[in-house]
Amino acid sequence: MKPGLYETLERIAATINERKDGDADKSYVAQLFAKGEDAMLKKIGEEATETVLAAKAGDRLALVRETADLWFHSMIVLARHGLGPADVLAEMHRREGISGLDEKASRKK
């Protein structure tokens, strides 16, 4: 991984937090926050679908771009709940080395 990529996520998260209460006429992030969580979640659904379609088509560039859109919109929802990339990465770190089957089974207990 290139140096500084994690910092990119942190900068994007900071920008989202700066813009969430901004002018909805000047900021896409502010527009989504003004529309509420349902609009944010709808965007995640749209981006997830577009990511799936790009993968099915075998379009690598589109897959990367759609995944970036999906991550961005997921970060907006995380920010709405006072969370950010560090929270997700901490969970991924916790799961590292654990079988996916075992991790999933542990959530049912």
Side-chain angles (χ1 to χ4, degrees), residues 2-4 13 19-20 26 29 35 38 40-41 44 51 56 58 63-64 66 69 76-77 96 100:
K2 293 179 183 178
R19 294 182 181 172
K20 67 183 180 182
K26 296 180 181 177
V29 171
K35 290 178 182 178
D38 284 349
M40 296 174 186
L41 298 175
I44 288 177
T51 300
K56 290 288 286 178
L63 177 57
V64 168
E66 295 302 341
D69 290 345
I76 290 173
V77 172
E96 185 178 17

PDB file of all heavy atoms in Angstrom, residues 2-4 13 19-20 26 29 35 38 40-41 44 51 56 58 63-64 66 69 76-77 96 100:
ATOM      1  N   LYS A   2       0.493   2.216  -0.772  1.00  0.00           N
ATOM      2  CA  LYS A   2       1.259   3.449  -0.838  1.00  0.00           C
ATOM      3  C   LYS A   2       1.178   4.184   0.497  1.00  0.00           C
ATOM      4  O   LYS A   2       0.117   4.215   1.130  1.00  0.00           O
ATOM      5  CB  LYS A   2       0.704   4.359  -1.938  1.00  0.00           C
ATOM      6  CG  LYS A   2       0.886   3.824  -3.327  1.00  0.00           C
ATOM      7  CD  LYS A   2       0.294   4.784  -4.343  1.00  0.00           C
ATOM      8  CE  LYS A   2       0.417   4.223  -5.741  1.00  0.00           C
ATOM      9  NZ  LYS A   2      -0.187   5.115  -6.726  1.00  0.00           N
ATOM     10  N   PRO A   3       2.287   4.801   0.905  1.00  0.00           N
ATOM     11  CA  PRO A   3       2.250   5.598   2.140  1.00  0.00           C
ATOM     12  C   PRO A   3       1.212   6.716   2.025  1.00  0.00           C
ATOM     13  O   PRO A   3       1.029   7.296   0.956  1.00  0.00           O
ATOM     14  CB  PRO A   3       3.665   6.180   2.235  1.00  0.00           C
ATOM     15  CG  PRO A   3       4.505   5.338   1.327  1.00  0.00           C
ATOM     16  CD  PRO A   3       3.590   4.788   0.275  1.00  0.00           C
ATOM     17  N   GLY A   4       0.538   6.994   3.101  1.00  0.00           N
ATOM     18  CA  GLY A   4      -0.398   8.102   3.134  1.00  0.00           C
ATOM     19  C   GLY A   4      -1.823   7.772   2.732  1.00  0.00           C
ATOM     20  O   GLY A   4      -2.682   8.648   2.798  1.00  0.00           O
ATOM     21  N   ALA A  13     -12.712  12.117   5.774  1.00  0.00           N
ATOM     22  CA  ALA A  13     -13.616  12.118   6.930  1.00  0.00           C
ATOM     23  C   ALA A  13     -13.676  13.503   7.570  1.00  0.00           C
ATOM     24  O   ALA A  13     -14.758  13.980   7.948  1.00  0.00           O
ATOM     25  CB  ALA A  13     -13.172  11.069   7.956  1.00  0.00           C
ATOM     26  N   ARG A  19     -18.152  19.825   6.402  1.00  0.00           N
ATOM     27  CA  ARG A  19     -19.203  20.260   5.470  1.00  0.00           C
ATOM     28  C   ARG A  19     -20.612  19.831   5.868  1.00  0.00           C
ATOM     29  O   ARG A  19     -21.583  20.342   5.302  1.00  0.00           O
ATOM     30  CB  ARG A  19     -18.884  19.735   4.068  1.00  0.00           C
ATOM     31  CG  ARG A  19     -17.628  20.367   3.512  1.00  0.00           C
ATOM     32  CD  ARG A  19     -17.337  19.900   2.121  1.00  0.00           C
ATOM     33  NE  ARG A  19     -16.105  20.514   1.633  1.00  0.00           N
ATOM     34  CZ  ARG A  19     -15.512  20.201   0.517  1.00  0.00           C
ATOM     35  NH1 ARG A  19     -16.025  19.269  -0.271  1.00  0.00           N
ATOM     36  NH2 ARG A  19     -14.386  20.792   0.159  1.00  0.00           N
ATOM     37  N   LYS A  20     -20.743  18.931   6.809  1.00  0.00           N
ATOM     38  CA  LYS A  20     -22.062  18.363   7.097  1.00  0.00           C
ATOM     39  C   LYS A  20     -23.092  19.391   7.554  1.00  0.00           C
ATOM     40  O   LYS A  20     -24.278  19.224   7.313  1.00  0.00           O
ATOM     41  CB  LYS A  20     -21.955  17.199   8.082  1.00  0.00           C
ATOM     42  CG  LYS A  20     -21.509  17.563   9.465  1.00  0.00           C
ATOM     43  CD  LYS A  20     -21.368  16.313  10.313  1.00  0.00           C
ATOM     44  CE  LYS A  20     -20.925  16.659  11.711  1.00  0.00           C
ATOM     45  NZ  LYS A  20     -20.742  15.442  12.510  1.00  0.00           N
ATOM     46  N   LYS A  26     -24.109  24.678  -1.659  1.00  0.00           N
ATOM     47  CA  LYS A  26     -22.698  24.689  -2.059  1.00  0.00           C
ATOM     48  C   LYS A  26     -21.971  23.373  -1.771  1.00  0.00           C
ATOM     49  O   LYS A  26     -20.831  23.216  -2.175  1.00  0.00           O
ATOM     50  CB  LYS A  26     -21.962  25.820  -1.341  1.00  0.00           C
ATOM     51  CG  LYS A  26     -22.471  27.189  -1.713  1.00  0.00           C
ATOM     52  CD  LYS A  26     -21.714  28.267  -0.993  1.00  0.00           C
ATOM     53  CE  LYS A  26     -22.258  29.633  -1.356  1.00  0.00           C
ATOM     54  NZ  LYS A  26     -21.583  30.695  -0.626  1.00  0.00           N
ATOM     55  N   VAL A  29     -22.229  17.102   0.455  1.00  0.00           N
ATOM     56  CA  VAL A  29     -22.312  16.487   1.794  1.00  0.00           C
ATOM     57  C   VAL A  29     -23.405  17.174   2.609  1.00  0.00           C
ATOM     58  O   VAL A  29     -24.243  16.507   3.239  1.00  0.00           O
ATOM     59  CB  VAL A  29     -20.953  16.547   2.517  1.00  0.00           C
ATOM     60  CG1 VAL A  29     -21.073  16.132   3.968  1.00  0.00           C
ATOM     61  CG2 VAL A  29     -19.934  15.664   1.796  1.00  0.00           C
ATOM     62  N   LYS A  35     -31.026  16.314   3.841  1.00  0.00           N
ATOM     63  CA  LYS A  35     -32.095  15.396   3.423  1.00  0.00           C
ATOM     64  C   LYS A  35     -32.355  14.304   4.458  1.00  0.00           C
ATOM     65  O   LYS A  35     -33.421  13.702   4.471  1.00  0.00           O
ATOM     66  CB  LYS A  35     -31.745  14.757   2.081  1.00  0.00           C
ATOM     67  CG  LYS A  35     -31.809  15.724   0.921  1.00  0.00           C
ATOM     68  CD  LYS A  35     -31.403  15.037  -0.377  1.00  0.00           C
ATOM     69  CE  LYS A  35     -31.412  16.002  -1.538  1.00  0.00           C
ATOM     70  NZ  LYS A  35     -30.964  15.361  -2.793  1.00  0.00           N
ATOM     71  N   ASP A  38     -32.324   8.688   5.533  1.00  0.00           N
ATOM     72  CA  ASP A  38     -32.905   7.856   4.474  1.00  0.00           C
ATOM     73  C   ASP A  38     -32.261   8.157   3.122  1.00  0.00           C
ATOM     74  O   ASP A  38     -31.980   7.235   2.341  1.00  0.00           O
ATOM     75  CB  ASP A  38     -34.423   8.043   4.389  1.00  0.00           C
ATOM     76  CG  ASP A  38     -35.167   7.323   5.502  1.00  0.00           C
ATOM     77  OD1 ASP A  38     -34.545   6.516   6.228  1.00  0.00           O
ATOM     78  OD2 ASP A  38     -36.381   7.574   5.656  1.00  0.00           O
ATOM     79  N   MET A  40     -29.246   9.304   2.666  1.00  0.00           N
ATOM     80  CA  MET A  40     -27.879   8.777   2.738  1.00  0.00           C
ATOM     81  C   MET A  40     -27.867   7.273   2.488  1.00  0.00           C
ATOM     82  O   MET A  40     -27.032   6.766   1.738  1.00  0.00           O
ATOM     83  CB  MET A  40     -27.274   9.057   4.122  1.00  0.00           C
ATOM     84  CG  MET A  40     -27.092  10.498   4.436  1.00  0.00           C
ATOM     85  SD  MET A  40     -26.547  10.632   6.161  1.00  0.00           S
ATOM     86  CE  MET A  40     -26.576  12.394   6.353  1.00  0.00           C
ATOM     87  N   LEU A  41     -28.794   6.585   3.115  1.00  0.00           N
ATOM     88  CA  LEU A  41     -28.853   5.128   2.973  1.00  0.00           C
ATOM     89  C   LEU A  41     -29.262   4.730   1.555  1.00  0.00           C
ATOM     90  O   LEU A  41     -28.758   3.730   1.024  1.00  0.00           O
ATOM     91  CB  LEU A  41     -29.811   4.540   4.005  1.00  0.00           C
ATOM     92  CG  LEU A  41     -29.401   4.767   5.459  1.00  0.00           C
ATOM     93  CD1 LEU A  41     -30.486   4.260   6.394  1.00  0.00           C
ATOM     94  CD2 LEU A  41     -28.056   4.119   5.770  1.00  0.00           C
ATOM     95  N   ILE A  44     -26.187   4.769  -0.508  1.00  0.00           N
ATOM     96  CA  ILE A  44     -25.365   3.578  -0.292  1.00  0.00           C
ATOM     97  C   ILE A  44     -25.919   2.413  -1.106  1.00  0.00           C
ATOM     98  O   ILE A  44     -25.168   1.684  -1.756  1.00  0.00           O
ATOM     99  CB  ILE A  44     -25.266   3.218   1.207  1.00  0.00           C
ATOM    100  CG1 ILE A  44     -24.389   4.238   1.921  1.00  0.00           C
ATOM    101  CG2 ILE A  44     -24.701   1.807   1.391  1.00  0.00           C
ATOM    102  CD1 ILE A  44     -24.282   4.030   3.421  1.00  0.00           C
ATOM    103  N   THR A  51     -21.640  -0.898  -7.869  1.00  0.00           N
ATOM    104  CA  THR A  51     -20.406  -1.654  -7.638  1.00  0.00           C
ATOM    105  C   THR A  51     -20.572  -3.096  -8.098  1.00  0.00           C
ATOM    106  O   THR A  51     -19.698  -3.649  -8.780  1.00  0.00           O
ATOM    107  CB  THR A  51     -20.015  -1.598  -6.142  1.00  0.00           C
ATOM    108  OG1 THR A  51     -19.816  -0.232  -5.774  1.00  0.00           O
ATOM    109  CG2 THR A  51     -18.754  -2.387  -5.857  1.00  0.00           C
ATOM    110  N   LYS A  56     -19.650  -7.436 -12.079  1.00  0.00           N
ATOM    111  CA  LYS A  56     -20.221  -8.440 -12.981  1.00  0.00           C
ATOM    112  C   LYS A  56     -19.776  -8.199 -14.410  1.00  0.00           C
ATOM    113  O   LYS A  56     -19.568  -9.136 -15.168  1.00  0.00           O
ATOM    114  CB  LYS A  56     -21.754  -8.419 -12.903  1.00  0.00           C
ATOM    115  CG  LYS A  56     -22.332  -8.927 -11.605  1.00  0.00           C
ATOM    116  CD  LYS A  56     -22.216 -10.405 -11.448  1.00  0.00           C
ATOM    117  CE  LYS A  56     -23.203 -11.116 -12.325  1.00  0.00           C
ATOM    118  NZ  LYS A  56     -23.120 -12.561 -12.249  1.00  0.00           N
ATOM    119  N   GLY A  58     -16.964  -7.006 -15.272  1.00  0.00           N
ATOM    120  CA  GLY A  58     -15.518  -7.173 -15.373  1.00  0.00           C
ATOM    121  C   GLY A  58     -14.793  -5.874 -15.691  1.00  0.00           C
ATOM    122  O   GLY A  58     -13.655  -5.897 -16.157  1.00  0.00           O
ATOM    123  N   LEU A  63     -15.231  -0.619 -11.464  1.00  0.00           N
ATOM    124  CA  LEU A  63     -15.312  -1.258 -10.151  1.00  0.00           C
ATOM    125  C   LEU A  63     -14.597  -0.416  -9.097  1.00  0.00           C
ATOM    126  O   LEU A  63     -15.128  -0.186  -8.006  1.00  0.00           O
ATOM    127  CB  LEU A  63     -14.725  -2.670 -10.206  1.00  0.00           C
ATOM    128  CG  LEU A  63     -14.678  -3.445  -8.888  1.00  0.00           C
ATOM    129  CD1 LEU A  63     -16.069  -3.557  -8.263  1.00  0.00           C
ATOM    130  CD2 LEU A  63     -14.078  -4.816  -9.129  1.00  0.00           C
ATOM    131  N   VAL A  64     -13.416   0.058  -9.421  1.00  0.00           N
ATOM    132  CA  VAL A  64     -12.672   0.903  -8.471  1.00  0.00           C
ATOM    133  C   VAL A  64     -13.438   2.199  -8.215  1.00  0.00           C
ATOM    134  O   VAL A  64     -13.587   2.631  -7.061  1.00  0.00           O
ATOM    135  CB  VAL A  64     -11.247   1.187  -8.992  1.00  0.00           C
ATOM    136  CG1 VAL A  64     -10.568   2.285  -8.185  1.00  0.00           C
ATOM    137  CG2 VAL A  64     -10.416  -0.088  -8.955  1.00  0.00           C
ATOM    138  N   GLU A  66     -16.679   2.887  -8.610  1.00  0.00           N
ATOM    139  CA  GLU A  66     -17.937   2.665  -7.883  1.00  0.00           C
ATOM    140  C   GLU A  66     -17.677   2.296  -6.424  1.00  0.00           C
ATOM    141  O   GLU A  66     -18.429   2.696  -5.537  1.00  0.00           O
ATOM    142  CB  GLU A  66     -18.790   1.600  -8.575  1.00  0.00           C
ATOM    143  CG  GLU A  66     -19.275   1.986  -9.959  1.00  0.00           C
ATOM    144  CD  GLU A  66     -20.102   3.264 -10.003  1.00  0.00           C
ATOM    145  OE1 GLU A  66     -20.635   3.708  -8.958  1.00  0.00           O
ATOM    146  OE2 GLU A  66     -20.217   3.843 -11.101  1.00  0.00           O
ATOM    147  N   ASP A  69     -17.068   5.442  -4.621  1.00  0.00           N
ATOM    148  CA  ASP A  69     -18.344   6.098  -4.320  1.00  0.00           C
ATOM    149  C   ASP A  69     -19.032   5.435  -3.131  1.00  0.00           C
ATOM    150  O   ASP A  69     -19.581   6.114  -2.246  1.00  0.00           O
ATOM    151  CB  ASP A  69     -19.281   6.041  -5.534  1.00  0.00           C
ATOM    152  CG  ASP A  69     -18.841   6.917  -6.682  1.00  0.00           C
ATOM    153  OD1 ASP A  69     -17.969   7.798  -6.476  1.00  0.00           O
ATOM    154  OD2 ASP A  69     -19.373   6.722  -7.796  1.00  0.00           O
ATOM    155  N   ILE A  76     -20.087   9.011   4.920  1.00  0.00           N
ATOM    156  CA  ILE A  76     -21.080  10.020   5.287  1.00  0.00           C
ATOM    157  C   ILE A  76     -22.006   9.477   6.368  1.00  0.00           C
ATOM    158  O   ILE A  76     -22.278  10.155   7.367  1.00  0.00           O
ATOM    159  CB  ILE A  76     -21.861  10.489   4.036  1.00  0.00           C
ATOM    160  CG1 ILE A  76     -20.934  11.309   3.128  1.00  0.00           C
ATOM    161  CG2 ILE A  76     -23.101  11.295   4.427  1.00  0.00           C
ATOM    162  CD1 ILE A  76     -21.537  11.680   1.790  1.00  0.00           C
ATOM    163  N   VAL A  77     -22.465   8.245   6.207  1.00  0.00           N
ATOM    164  CA  VAL A  77     -23.338   7.644   7.222  1.00  0.00           C
ATOM    165  C   VAL A  77     -22.565   7.430   8.528  1.00  0.00           C
ATOM    166  O   VAL A  77     -23.100   7.667   9.621  1.00  0.00           O
ATOM    167  CB  VAL A  77     -23.973   6.332   6.711  1.00  0.00           C
ATOM    168  CG1 VAL A  77     -24.711   5.603   7.817  1.00  0.00           C
ATOM    169  CG2 VAL A  77     -24.919   6.631   5.547  1.00  0.00           C
ATOM    170  N   GLU A  96      -8.975  -9.627  12.001  1.00  0.00           N
ATOM    171  CA  GLU A  96      -7.843 -10.186  11.259  1.00  0.00           C
ATOM    172  C   GLU A  96      -7.389 -11.492  11.892  1.00  0.00           C
ATOM    173  O   GLU A  96      -7.200 -11.579  13.103  1.00  0.00           O
ATOM    174  CB  GLU A  96      -6.685  -9.181  11.240  1.00  0.00           C
ATOM    175  CG  GLU A  96      -5.525  -9.622  10.386  1.00  0.00           C
ATOM    176  CD  GLU A  96      -4.410  -8.582  10.343  1.00  0.00           C
ATOM    177  OE1 GLU A  96      -4.380  -7.678  11.194  1.00  0.00           O
ATOM    178  OE2 GLU A  96      -3.570  -8.693   9.443  1.00  0.00           O
ATOM    179  N   GLY A 100     -13.761 -16.174   8.794  1.00  0.00           N
ATOM    180  CA  GLY A 100     -15.019 -15.486   8.554  1.00  0.00           C
ATOM    181  C   GLY A 100     -16.204 -16.261   9.094  1.00  0.00           C
ATOM    182  O   GLY A 100     -17.157 -15.687   9.620  1.00  0.00           O
TER     183      GLY A 100
END
